[in-house]
Amino acid sequence: MVTSMEWTKKDYKNIGISVALTLLFSIRGGEMPGALIMTIRYLFAFYFYGLIMVLIFVGLTKKMFKYEADKKKMILWMFYLAAFFAVSQFMHEGFLMITGQSPPK
Protein backbone atom coordinates (compact mmCIF):
# COMPACT_ATOMS: atom_id res chain seq x y z
CA MET A 1 0.00 0.00 0.00
CA VAL A 2 1.34 3.42 -0.97
CA THR A 3 1.13 6.08 1.72
CA SER A 4 0.94 9.77 0.93
CA MET A 5 4.58 10.37 1.95
CA GLU A 6 6.06 7.92 -0.54
CA TRP A 7 7.26 9.40 -3.80
CA THR A 8 5.92 7.72 -6.93
CA LYS A 9 7.08 7.81 -10.53
CA LYS A 10 4.17 10.12 -11.30
CA ASP A 11 5.42 12.60 -8.68
CA TYR A 12 8.91 12.58 -10.16
CA LYS A 13 7.47 12.98 -13.66
CA ASN A 14 5.37 15.96 -12.55
CA ILE A 15 8.36 17.59 -10.88
CA GLY A 16 10.49 16.99 -13.98
CA ILE A 17 7.88 18.55 -16.24
CA SER A 18 7.52 21.52 -13.88
CA VAL A 19 11.28 22.06 -13.75
CA ALA A 20 11.54 21.79 -17.54
CA LEU A 21 8.73 24.34 -18.03
CA THR A 22 10.27 26.69 -15.50
CA LEU A 23 13.67 26.45 -17.14
CA LEU A 24 12.25 26.79 -20.65
CA PHE A 25 10.32 29.95 -19.84
CA SER A 26 13.10 31.45 -17.70
CA ILE A 27 15.86 31.49 -20.31
CA ARG A 28 16.87 35.04 -21.18
CA GLY A 29 18.63 36.21 -24.30
CA GLY A 30 21.50 38.61 -24.74
CA GLU A 31 25.20 38.69 -24.00
CA MET A 32 26.34 35.44 -22.41
CA PRO A 33 27.45 36.39 -18.88
CA GLY A 34 24.50 38.71 -18.35
CA ALA A 35 21.93 36.34 -19.83
CA LEU A 36 23.10 33.46 -17.65
CA ILE A 37 22.99 35.58 -14.51
CA MET A 38 19.50 36.85 -15.35
CA THR A 39 18.28 33.29 -16.02
CA ILE A 40 19.59 32.13 -12.65
CA ARG A 41 18.01 35.14 -10.93
CA TYR A 42 14.65 34.43 -12.54
CA LEU A 43 14.84 30.74 -11.58
CA PHE A 44 15.67 31.65 -7.99
CA ALA A 45 12.84 34.19 -7.90
CA PHE A 46 10.25 31.77 -9.30
CA TYR A 47 11.11 29.00 -6.83
CA PHE A 48 11.36 31.48 -3.95
CA TYR A 49 7.94 32.95 -4.82
CA GLY A 50 6.55 29.42 -5.11
CA LEU A 51 7.84 28.48 -1.66
CA ILE A 52 6.56 31.67 -0.04
CA MET A 53 3.13 31.36 -1.67
CA VAL A 54 2.78 27.75 -0.53
CA LEU A 55 3.73 28.68 3.02
CA ILE A 56 1.28 31.59 3.02
CA PHE A 57 -1.51 29.48 1.51
CA VAL A 58 -1.01 26.63 3.97
CA GLY A 59 -0.66 29.00 6.91
CA LEU A 60 -3.86 30.85 6.07
CA THR A 61 -6.04 27.86 5.24
CA LYS A 62 -4.81 25.02 7.46
CA LYS A 63 -7.03 25.77 10.47
CA MET A 64 -9.93 27.05 8.41
CA PHE A 65 -10.33 23.93 6.27
CA LYS A 66 -8.87 21.49 8.84
CA TYR A 67 -6.47 19.61 6.60
CA GLU A 68 -2.93 18.41 7.02
CA ALA A 69 -0.48 19.51 4.35
CA ASP A 70 2.52 17.20 4.40
CA LYS A 71 5.95 18.06 3.02
CA LYS A 72 5.37 16.11 -0.18
CA LYS A 73 2.28 18.12 -1.10
CA MET A 74 3.99 21.38 -0.27
CA ILE A 75 7.02 20.51 -2.41
CA LEU A 76 4.79 19.55 -5.35
CA TRP A 77 2.77 22.75 -4.98
CA MET A 78 5.99 24.79 -4.92
CA PHE A 79 7.17 23.29 -8.22
CA TYR A 80 3.73 23.78 -9.81
CA LEU A 81 3.60 27.42 -8.71
CA ALA A 82 7.14 28.08 -9.95
CA ALA A 83 6.17 26.75 -13.39
CA PHE A 84 3.01 28.87 -13.31
CA PHE A 85 5.00 32.00 -12.40
CA ALA A 86 7.54 31.35 -15.16
CA VAL A 87 4.88 30.89 -17.84
CA SER A 88 2.87 33.92 -16.69
CA GLN A 89 6.00 36.12 -16.60
CA PHE A 90 6.90 34.99 -20.12
CA MET A 91 3.38 35.81 -21.33
CA HIS A 92 3.52 39.21 -19.63
CA GLU A 93 6.85 40.09 -21.24
CA GLY A 94 5.56 38.90 -24.61
CA PHE A 95 2.48 41.08 -24.26
CA LEU A 96 4.62 44.09 -23.40
CA MET A 97 6.84 43.42 -26.39
CA ILE A 98 3.91 43.03 -28.82
CA THR A 99 2.19 46.22 -27.61
CA GLY A 100 5.42 48.22 -27.63
CA GLN A 101 5.38 48.88 -23.88
CA SER A 102 8.63 47.07 -23.06
CA PRO A 103 11.24 49.33 -21.45
CA PRO A 104 14.22 50.36 -23.59
CA LYS A 105 17.43 48.46 -22.99
Side-chain angles (χ1 to χ4, degrees):
M1 184 167 132
V2 177
T3 63
S4 66
M5 286 301 292
E6 292 180 7
W7 290 87
T8 62
K9 288 184 180 183
K10 182 180 176 185
D11 294 330
Y12 289 125
K13 185 177 102 176
N14 287 340
I15 287 176
I17 291 170
S18 297
V19 167
L21 281 174
T22 306
L23 184 60
L24 177 70
F25 288 104
S26 298
I27 295 175
R28 301 292 171 226
E31 303 270 333
M32 193 44 162
L36 183 62
I37 291 171
M38 285 304 294
T39 300
I40 292 171
R41 288 171 90 184
Y42 271 90
L43 284 172
F44 174 75
F46 294 144
Y47 286 112
F48 182 72
Y49 292 156
L51 174 65
I52 297 302
M53 291 303 294
V54 166
L55 292 176
I56 289 173
F57 176 73
V58 169
L60 290 175
T61 61
K62 189 174 184 178
K63 282 188 178 180
M64 185 184 330
F65 297 121
K66 295 179 176 52
Y67 69 93
E68 194 63 38
D70 56 354
K71 290 180 183 178
K72 177 185 166 188
K73 285 182 188 175
M74 292 172 66
I75 290 169
L76 287 171
W77 291 344
M78 182 192 73
F79 280 104
Y80 296 154
L81 283 174
F84 172 75
F85 294 147
V87 171
S88 63
Q89 177 69 24
F90 182 79
M91 290 172 52
H92 174 69
E93 290 174 358
F95 174 77
L96 291 179
M97 189 180 299
I98 289 171
T99 59
Q101 301 177 37
S102 60
K105 296 190 182 208

